[in-house]
Amino acid sequence: MAMINIEYMHPEEDPSDPTIRRRTNAVMAQYIRDLIFEMQMGDISCAFKETVTDGARDVRINGRAIPEIIDGLQIKMLEAEESCDFGSTTMIKFGRPTLDWKREWVEDVPDTIMKNAIAKVFADENKNQIDVIN
């Protein structure tokens, strides 16, 4: 089975934009730890590393940046008929659109895009392992 390694690289100071989704390094690191926990509960091998750098902020999944991973992917939201809550009432949310992302801040990556990037890397890694076995 594929191994997923996620590395969050950031300077010591927190992001300066108060409008992003995860406003501090600690919140972003905890978000990734929560994703790691979910994957481990699903019996997926994964690890998390947080690195303080002097350079740019980035999240690398198996060494690849999120924009590189999702390049060419068509990310679609579920239609009402495809969702598990079809026919039930839902809470109306006000705010930014789900896929809106300030790309200069990796801490602003939407959950949908982050999970799609992880899934894509996982699928690519599993494909590579299957190809090696055959």
Side-chain angles (χ1 to χ4, degrees), residues 1-7 31-48 61-62 114-122:
M1 180 167 284
M3 174 73 175
I4 301 296
N5 293 300
I6 301 177
E7 183 177 10
Y31 165 71
I32 297 171
R33 281 188 195 94
D34 291 344
L35 291 175
I36 294 289
F37 179 74
E38 285 181 42
M39 289 186 286
Q40 288 173 338
M41 292 299 293
D43 209 21
I44 296 171
S45 298
C46 51
F48 171 63
I61 305 170
N62 286 19
M114 180 68 127
K115 289 180 178 176
N116 272 274
I118 292 169
K120 172 78 166 101
V121 170
F122 184 75

Side-chain angles (χ1 to χ4, degrees), residues 11-129:
E12 282 210 34
E13 60 277 348
D14 288 327
S16 59
D17 188 338
T19 64
I20 60 176
R21 287 177 172 84
R22 294 164 207 92
R23 295 183 181 134
T24 67
N25 298 332
V27 170
M28 182 65 175
Q30 187 58 51
Y31 165 71
I32 297 171
R33 281 188 195 94
D34 291 344
L35 291 175
I36 294 289
F37 179 74
E38 285 181 42
M39 289 186 286
Q40 288 173 338
M41 292 299 293
D43 209 21
I44 296 171
S45 298
C46 51
F48 171 63
K49 179 180 179 183
E50 183 176 6
T51 306
V52 177
T53 68
D54 292 333
R57 300 174 171 279
D58 201 3
V59 170
R60 298 271 173 170
I61 305 170
N62 286 19
R64 296 167 56 197
I66 294 170
E68 174 190 343
I69 296 165
I70 64 170
D71 185 40
L73 287 182
Q74 182 180 11
I75 297 175
K76 295 172 65 175
M77 303 303 289
L78 288 176
E79 298 294 329
E81 304 86 43
E82 297 172 336
S83 68
C84 60
D85 62 350
F86 181 65
S88 65
T89 59
T90 58
M91 184 185 306
I92 296 174
K93 297 179 183 177
F94 296 96
R96 292 170 49 204
T98 303
L99 298 180
D100 182 29
W101 175 20
K102 292 182 178 181
R103 289 181 180 245
E104 64 271 18
W105 298 104
V106 72
E107 292 81 3
D108 195 48
V109 65
D111 190 53
T112 301
I113 290 177
M114 180 68 127
K115 289 180 178 176
N116 272 274
I118 292 169
K120 172 78 166 101
V121 170
F122 184 75
D124 289 348
E125 293 295 322
N126 274 328
K127 180 188 176 302
N128 289 340
Q129 286 188 351

